[in-house]
Amino acid sequence: MLELCQDGEGQQCPNKEYPLHHMQHNHYDSPGRHEQIEGRAWVEEQRFECSSPQCSAAVTIRFSPARLTAEHVTLLTDPKLLKQRAEVAIAMYPDRFREEGVSSPMRVLHILRTYIKDAIHTEGKRFGSMNKNFMLCFGEACNELLEYLGFSYSKSDEYWNLPNPDRSPEIPIKDPLKILLNDVDIELMALMEQRPLSEKSQISVQFIPLSAIKWIEQILGLQEFRQAHPSPRRTIDLTQEEHPCFASLGAVGDFSDDLIIFAYERQKLCDVDNAPYYLECLQDLGELRQSETLQTKAVMMQSEGEISTKDIREAYRYFGFDSQSSSLNDETIIGVFQSRLSDAPRQEADARLALRIIGQSRGSEKIRHLALKTLTTAEQALGWLNADNDTPDDFIITMVTIKITDNKSDTEAGQEAIRLIAEQRNSAALRNWLETGEMGVVEMDVGEAYTRLGIEDRTLDDDMIITTYGIRMSESPHQLQDLRQALEAIAKDRGSRQIEDFLSNGQLAQNSVSVEWPVGLENIGNTCYLNSLLQFYFTVKPLRDLVLHFDDYKMDLDQDSLRKKQVGSRRVSRKEVERAQSFVYALQKLFQRLISARASSITPERELARLTLISSSNEEAFRRMSMASKDGRPSLGDINGVPMQGPLGPPLPQEMEIHSSQSKHHPVEDVTGDNASDTTLVEPPNYDDSGYMVVSMDEKAQQQEILDDKENLKPSNKILPDQSRSLSKPLEPTSPSRLNEQEHQRSSTKDISSSNPDLSLTNGLPRTPDTMSPPDRPPPVPPRPQTLEQTKPTQDEVELGAQQDVTEVIANVLFQMQCAIKANNIDTDGEQLDEIKSLFYGKTKSYIKKDGSVRTKEEFFSDIKVDVASGPRDIYAALDGAFDVQNVDVDGTLSPQYGSISLLPPVLQIQVQRVQFDQAKKASYKSEAHLKLEETIYLDRYMDSGNAALMQLREEAWRWKDRVRELEARKAILTQTDADMDLPEVMDMTQGYLMELQSAEDDDVVMVNPDVLQALNENAADMRRELEHIETEITHLNTSITSQFTDLRALPYRLHSVFIHRGTALFGHYWIYIYDFKKDIWRRYNDSYVTQIKDRREVFEQETTNPATPYFLVYVRESDIDKLVDPVCRELEPEPQWDAPPIADGMDNMEVIEGVGPDEYRWLRASTSQGANPAPSHQSAWDSSEAHSSNHW
């Protein structure tokens, strides 16, 4: 019910200024819902008042639920129920109902409405319960419904009496029964109107449902509306929603353009906060109607500075932000804006426009001023003020005040100048003047402090808060003062001594040094990933023992040993071996200090960082770039002044050219003879042209019967010849095998063309040719005298190394370790077999089935690469991607290929590939999809065991996955359309539109074939059923896939380490979690801080905003855990007895010693003064290495 009230005072609408009432909901005077009133379950009232200040009109809308419930409607219209009633009637009186069919829902509704109308207008009518219409349409199943409507049944004569309401013409109607019957009559008309045309045509009685639209128009005073504002009429289907923008503006579809503009103006004025949304509604309706009037109005509003939500979304998207993100703050937006300006100065106009829109939408004066300003640097600000860097803060404020006083239009420029200078100087006084107009510092609110650091979870422990502070500092070093002020506020709120100590001396508060706790590593400049890697290697017991006792494993540098040396499928030069041994000695020195240091953290030597991060090939390339550069330093790029770090995107073609050019200037001595590349130790198997070993199906069956259980071999210092024998040929760099993704891994030496002396790449390392062609070019230019900057260990090289790909750094470490040590054995292809190989390397075997034969290929691997770019998954699903069957092109035909593990390493490394390359944007990006980790994984399912039953399980799982992919593809077809709705909804909308066309009130009625409407309805229903079936089948298949291998648990591996990265593909921060199996605890190694994880969810679960994501995983064989890993290895030197000088005195005279942290200084000086034995060194090896450089004190 709708009721209009107005007192007649003032200038009532409509009038010239207000062509219509503009009603606003009155929350305070709306009575709301009343339960159990007037025979209804509830009645709700809402009050709306005209927004015109001169109009007193108010509308009260009362509405209540339908009288006919959903159960009643089903009883009357369900074809199955109607069929059952017909069957009952025919069974009772077969002769009588022989010619009768099943009643349609339309007929049932029509007959019931006839009963209702007779009851309202005629007294004393009745009908027999054996009436044909009654028995076919209602029967005993509808007795309860009829009684609810006031019908009464006479058992004596088996007749139904119609309801007996008050039939007087009294208005308003007061009789509850008559009100009920009137309501049901209208509801029945509405239900009949909704029936398909095929049913409507069966009823001879024509009728037109009464519409409430005219009554509503009359009540609202709209009789003159059509004449005053003529526009094309449009029938409104109350069952279908119009474009939502009409409702958002308080308009309807048949409004003229002028009225829509009127509605927009009123909504914008009455609801200022949502003005951008209303402008977008105006824009959308202009496009919908192709209305020049509406589009012109929208453009005019934008020219006046108004913005739409569409503008806001596009502005955020321009900078790569999510407009709905609650964690986004002004500083982050400004930082990205400034980075965009430095990267693309030609796009400054677009960037400033986008920034202005964001600032306006957020109500941020800081962002808005930055977008509108002409001053972009502190130098420009000082020049504008005729000041310099030595001008004091108070004089700066005075000069700005004078500028503003002289010209009010300089207010924003003056404030911007203060802000720029404040940031450059880190001046809290200038910042406070901007905020309060006074000099001084105001304490930051703790809530603002957490927001400033981007911390959503206030339950984080102190060391993680300090870590987050460090990340923010690296991202925005110019905001030091604000970040420090935020950390101070948090420290005060928590009463945290740990944070307060950190603020005082830059160190975490630590307990006394303990033999039961690991030592941290100081960050020496973008080396967070290096520190994580070194901590991981220290915990691997066999590797640590090898390093600490390196002299027992060290390779001799005699000619015979060098001649046989082959690592990574290539020969290794004497210079590379010497460099590698220098690296191991540097690592030994670090490990000794990690064992004996009397400090919570130590500083790695820069030389160790250089040798770890920079491969020999990259080192030479860097030196060439340094010599070619005027200032001796290549440009690495930065973001807001912070050097880029973290994983890189796909390498550019130029990078390959740098590596391949090295052999032109650094030829490698041939130590193998003319025929070395053709030498083999065993008779080779039969290979095809693609390098695959060809095995007949019969041979394969015979071989599988005698396969050894190689995955259960224990790690050993000695590898027997029969264990190392390999019958495989390495993959070509261009092989389609997904198991050979390790940067051209294991390329065969015989594949290098003798006509091309350039180096090829193996695992990112240079590979030398086996033979040298006669000189065909002039000798290299003699070396020139080097400057001091060229001879000293440079920070440039360490920074360049910090940018290397994660896999490249690990490959470089393993390569150098193998180069430095002697071989235990030689593989059939000449490859060195040693402790590193037996510890970290396994073997995979790939199979390709083609033309009745199986081609196999076996190769070493140091890590398994898994992909999460396509979305979240668990560890098994990720591993499946490396070994599942796939179709590859072989000789022009697609053939199935799959992989297995033929030999498991004791230490299994898994690389999570997160950095992808966007071909459209030509830029790298990082996937933050969650990888669900398991503490224990069972690798039986991937083994090349020759077990036919296992192969059947794998093949069955592959078929299920193929089926899931088919279903998901079909689901995408049914649910993804250009209309942003699924196909069933499209069918429904099409059907509604066609029905609207044929029921139009004007002369443009379009007749539609009823079969078309029925087909649309049936197709929509079929598609919905298909979608339900697809969802059910996908769920069932995924459950089957997950449980397929649950009984295979003979090969358990336990999670030992998780390398973590937080940030983007261009920058961020690394740390590592390492599990202590003896103490059953996880520790976080975050540069100099080693802390215990209190909640394991930190390791295994992922935050929703800016998540820290795993990049590299390490699992170890469960049966050998005690032999393989030992995270705590400490043996402190006895604390020296000496008289400590005053702290201030000692610190003032403290020498700067590379590789020694401040906490170690007193102990080191005491040890040397007492004549303590220094840590063992290997001076002879260092002296012989060209890479050696003496420490600078």
Side-chain angles (χ1 to χ4, degrees), residues 1-3 24-34 43-49 58-63:
M1 187 182 78
L2 186 146
E3 179 182 357
Q24 282 186 295
H25 186 226
N26 186 328
H27 299 275
Y28 303 102
D29 294 337
S30 295
R33 177 174 294 193
H34 304 284
V43 174
E44 184 167 339
E45 292 187 12
Q46 298 295 339
R47 180 179 175 84
F48 298 80
E49 297 176 351
V59 173
T60 301
I61 299 176
R62 301 173 70 243
F63 50 96

Side-chain angles (χ1 to χ4, degrees), residues 184-200:
V184 171
D185 180 44
I186 295 172
E187 291 176 19
L188 289 173
M189 281 195 294
L191 292 172
M192 293 169 69
E193 177 63 18
Q194 296 172 12
R195 303 309 302 172
L197 289 176
S198 57
E199 291 186 25
K200 291 181 181 180

